[in-house]
């Protein structure tokens, strides 16, 4: 049995008049729609045409959660009924989530587009690279784009080919960093609620498979790095020292955010050298330092979130 959360519960959410409806098992979705909003059921004289794709799907709701397998979930996500219930859930919240502080139970898994659309054999690797959480890629790419933009001659637009290369490199390096992190922390991740279902910690992937995937990502990253000038190749390769050491800093210091800042903002140095072939400390060091401080702020906020 797979459980899919329809909304992100919050500690501050309170039950609404719709909550009691969503906590019941739905044997007749049309009747529920007519109870919540009679006008919606009057839109069509043939109720079965409102959501034909789930007419033969076995499903139920329990405490704002969808119960069923992934195949039936796909049908549900493509149906009009999903859009309607999504609107209810986001406005009313989760009754159980409000009562337990928005935390998931041990037997619940939050599905993403990876689980719904990618082949089964590929899913663990996609989760390992955090493809469904692109914010890490953006945080790596932004310092690169800032630096490339600063390096551009006045009156000209930034080199879009260079920005595309750095965007792809950020995507690959972020995935490689997550892979390194999960390989080094696999014994710890099994003891933490938030991380115990990660592919390596849960056993979906073996450490050897994780290492092989890491090698594949680094190989693709090397292909991008070789398209830059020699100075940038050396500077870019040196960032791997930070990428591989950052996961260990959680064991050695109370300031892992500082090392994350040094790692994630390396592109502030690399973007300039990719354009000019050398470093200008008066320009890139203030940018790099500002990026590190920026990382300290957002990662500290992230660390304090439940």
């Amino acid at each position: 049995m797979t459980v899919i959360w329809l909304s992100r519960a919050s500690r501050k959410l309170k039950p609404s008049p719709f909550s009691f409806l969503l906590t019941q098992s739905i044997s007749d979705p049309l009747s529920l729609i007519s109870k919540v909003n009679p006008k919606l059921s009057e839109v069509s004289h043939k109720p079965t045409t409102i959501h034909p794709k789930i007419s033969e799907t076995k499903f139920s709701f329990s405490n704002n959660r969808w119960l069923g397998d992934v195949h039936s979930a796909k049908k549900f996500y493509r149906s009009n009924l999903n859009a309607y219930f999504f609107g209810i859930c986001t406005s009313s919240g989760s009754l159980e989530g409000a009562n337990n502080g928005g935390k998931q139970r041990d037997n619940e898994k939050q599905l993403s587009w990876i689980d719904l659309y990618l082949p089964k054999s590929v899913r663990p690797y996609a989760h390992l690279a955090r493809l469904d959480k692109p914010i890490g890629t953006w945080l790596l790419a932004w310092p690169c784009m800032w630096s490339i933009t600063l390096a551009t001659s006045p009156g000209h637009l930034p080199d879009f080919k260079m920005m595309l290369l750095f965007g792809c490199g950020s995507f690959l390096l972020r995935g490689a960093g997550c892979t390194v992190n999960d390989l080094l922390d696999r014994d710890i991740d099994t003891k933490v609620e938030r991380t115990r279902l990660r592919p390596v910690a849960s056993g979906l992937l073996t450490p050897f498979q994780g290492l092989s995937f890491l090698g594949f990502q680094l190989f693709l990253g090397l292909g991008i790095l070789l398209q830059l000038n020699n100075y940038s190749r050396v500077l870019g390769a040196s960032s791997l020292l930070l990428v591989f050491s950052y996961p260990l800093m959680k064991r050695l210091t109370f300031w892992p955010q500082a090392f994350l800042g040094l790692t994630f903002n390396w592109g502030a140095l690399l973007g300039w050298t990719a354009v000019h072939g050398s470093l200008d400390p008066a320009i890139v060091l203030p940018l790099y330092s500002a990026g590190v401080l920026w990382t300290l702020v957002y990662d500290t906020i992230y660390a304090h979130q439940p």
Side-chain angles (χ1 to χ4, degrees):
M1 182 70 73
T2 301
V3 181
I4 301 175
W5 284 80
L6 296 179
S7 63
R8 184 175 181 178
S10 168
R11 295 173 185 267
K12 299 180 180 180
L13 292 177
K14 296 181 180 180
S16 75
F18 294 124
S19 296
F20 78 97
L21 293 173
L22 294 176
T23 58
Q24 305 299 319
S25 175
I26 301 175
S27 57
D28 185 0
L30 288 175
S31 65
L32 178 60
I33 291 177
S34 62
K35 289 180 182 179
V36 177
N37 190 345
K39 294 183 180 180
L40 186 63
S41 61
E42 295 173 1
V43 173
S44 174
H45 297 288
K46 297 180 180 180
T48 55
T49 61
I50 295 180
H51 46 314
K53 295 181 180 179
I54 60 169
S55 58
E56 298 179 357
T57 302
K58 294 182 180 180
F59 65 92
S60 63
F61 276 90
S62 177
N63 291 328
N64 234 9
R65 297 190 306 276
W66 163 268
L67 305 181
D69 57 21
V70 173
H71 178 68
S72 61
K74 287 183 179 180
K75 292 184 179 180
F76 178 75
Y77 273 103
R78 295 168 183 165
S79 66
N80 294 330
L81 184 63
N82 170 64
Y84 185 72
F85 276 108
F86 182 80
I88 295 176
C89 292
T90 53
S91 60
S92 65
S94 169
L95 179 61
E96 183 180 358
N99 293 333
N100 68 10
K103 297 179 180 178
Q104 291 175 271
R105 291 182 178 180
D106 291 343
N107 60 345
E108 291 172 352
K109 179 183 179 182
Q110 190 171 15
L111 297 189
S112 70
W113 62 267
I114 292 176
D115 305 285
L116 296 176
Y117 299 110
L118 291 187
K120 188 175 181 180
S121 59
V122 178
R123 293 173 197 168
Y125 297 99
H127 280 296
L128 186 60
R130 313 285 200 275
L131 296 189
D132 55 339
K133 300 174 181 177
I135 184 60
T137 299
W138 285 112
L139 293 174
L140 267 176
W142 281 330
C144 302
M145 306 309 171
W146 297 336
S147 186
I148 293 173
T149 303
L150 285 175
T152 303
S153 302
H156 294 79
L157 293 175
D159 188 338
F160 288 102
K161 178 183 177 182
M162 192 69 67
M163 297 179 78
L164 180 61
L165 286 175
F166 273 80
C168 294
S170 298
F171 174 79
L172 292 170
L173 190 61
R174 191 274 178 128
C178 292
T179 303
V180 172
N181 181 80
D182 286 9
L183 287 171
L184 294 177
D185 288 350
R186 62 184 183 274
D187 294 331
I188 299 176
D189 286 345
T190 58
K191 303 174 184 178
V192 180
E193 177 71 20
R194 184 176 62 88
T195 60
R196 65 184 181 81
L197 293 180
R198 287 178 176 175
V200 178
S202 63
L204 288 176
L205 293 177
T206 64
F208 177 76
Q209 289 174 315
L211 282 172
S212 300
F213 183 56
L214 174 62
F216 175 70
Q217 293 174 98
L218 293 178
F219 178 75
L220 294 179
L222 177 63
I224 294 177
L225 191 63
L226 291 177
Q227 299 184 54
L228 306 180
N229 55 60
N230 291 332
Y231 195 103
S232 299
R233 292 173 185 174
V234 176
L235 186 63
S238 62
S239 68
L240 293 178
L241 296 174
L242 291 170
V243 173
F244 282 90
S245 62
Y246 162 68
L248 300 175
M249 294 303 158
K250 292 175 284 187
R251 299 170 171 84
L252 303 177
T253 177
F254 292 113
W255 287 85
Q257 293 91 345
F259 287 89
L260 181 67
L262 295 175
T263 305
F264 264 48
N265 293 279
W266 199 256
L269 308 177
L270 191 58
W272 182 277
T273 63
V275 176
H276 290 289
S278 62
L279 279 175
D280 188 340
I283 296 177
V284 297
L285 290 184
L287 178 63
Y288 184 59
S289 301
V292 173
L293 295 176
W294 174 57
T295 303
L296 281 173
V297 173
Y298 70 66
D299 198 55
T300 300
I301 294 173
Y302 170 76
H304 282 81
Q305 289 179 331

